[in-house]
Amino acid sequence: MAQPLISVIMPVYNAEKYLPAALASLLGQDYANFEARLIDDGSSDGSPAILEDFAARDSRLHVTRVQNGGQARARALALAQARGTYIAFMDSDDLATPRWLSALVETIGAADIAQVNYATYLAGPQARFSRPYHATDFSVRGADTYRLWLEDKEMRGYLWNKLFRSELFTPALPVAGFNLMEDAYLIGQLLPRVTQINFHDEAVYDYRLNPASTVHDKFHEADLRAIDELGALYMQVAETRPALEALAVHKYASLSLWVLSKMTPAQLLQHWGYAEQLGAVLKDYSQDFAAELADHAALDLPQRRPHQLAAELRQQLADWSALIGQPRHEDQFDDK
């Protein structure tokens, strides 16, 4: 039986340090029938030359160069180009073991999405290690697909350890206007189109721990769009699926606190409306939490000196973090 074509999508931005190894691991797959849609997202380092060199050696690699617009836009462009029956995603600083694609195809069966396990890859002599699932192989359907997405344990919000039927992306989905957890946003948008997800506990993808990743980055204005767009998906689940309300509100609150905790005091003052919005949500859904909320009425900003006000705002975030069982965030603030 002929192998179905897989379109592998890889956004690339200033990845010259790790890109050759990533591409070599992709070309080392024991599954031969794939095309790679490599989107150079306006790199200013040696990445374009590396991409062209690899593409010249293997006709399965297709390079498109665009102005920098973020990995979500790069992926959307690649999806429009893709010809495969299935869609897979790879990051330009990771490694795929030879069985990555074949294990995904073996797992998907009649499902809409397949997910395999992965290993965390540390540069240097450290060993790779994986996090096993609660069962070797299992499937979820219906509301359980949303539950696992919200729990972010068995089904993490990553794209690179999953295989998707290409028809899931038709019609095209809105493109995230942010880079913070845009993977989870894409998966959340797909869930209404998904009937079944199959899982297989085989670690066939190596995720490189990279401190330069956007999840470790400082605050950017675009992070607020993560609250607006991804947070809206969480709250939509809270409103439409009562059994998942507590999980969904927790996710919205955790996302908001994460973004707010990345701000300097000056940025927090500027964007305190997002904290007020979070407080209103927590109050509306207070039955989902063990503790009663303290009064969180809007602070009278003009009557306080900035230093005093910043301390009060940090304390408010710390109180809300404790309320939902999240780690305290105030030690992440920079008083500059």
Side-chain angles (χ1 to χ4, degrees), residues 140-160:
V140 294
R141 298 172 63 90
D144 281 339
T145 63
Y146 288 88
R147 177 178 59 79
L148 264 65
W149 174 63
L150 292 169
E151 287 177 342
D152 200 26
K153 295 177 182 178
E154 299 294 340
M155 189 173 81
R156 305 298 295 270
Y158 304 132
L159 296 175
W160 33 254

Side-chain angles (χ1 to χ4, degrees), residues 1 9 15 19 23 46 83 124 134 141-142 162 166 170 193 254 297 317:
M1 182 181 296
I9 292 173
L19 183 57
L23 293 173
R83 301 180 296 111
H134 72 266
R141 298 172 63 90
K162 298 175 178 63
S166 59
T170 304
R193 305 177 182 182
S254 297
L317 295 183

Side-chain angles (χ1 to χ4, degrees), residues 2 6 10 16 27 42 47 64 67 95 111 113 115 117 119 141 151 211 256 271 275 286 294:
I6 300 176
M10 180 191 291
E16 65 178 2
L27 295 179
S47 296
T64 301
Q67 290 186 342
L95 299 171
I113 299 175
Q115 177 176 302
N117 210 339
R141 298 172 63 90
E151 287 177 342
S256 297
H271 299 294
S286 59

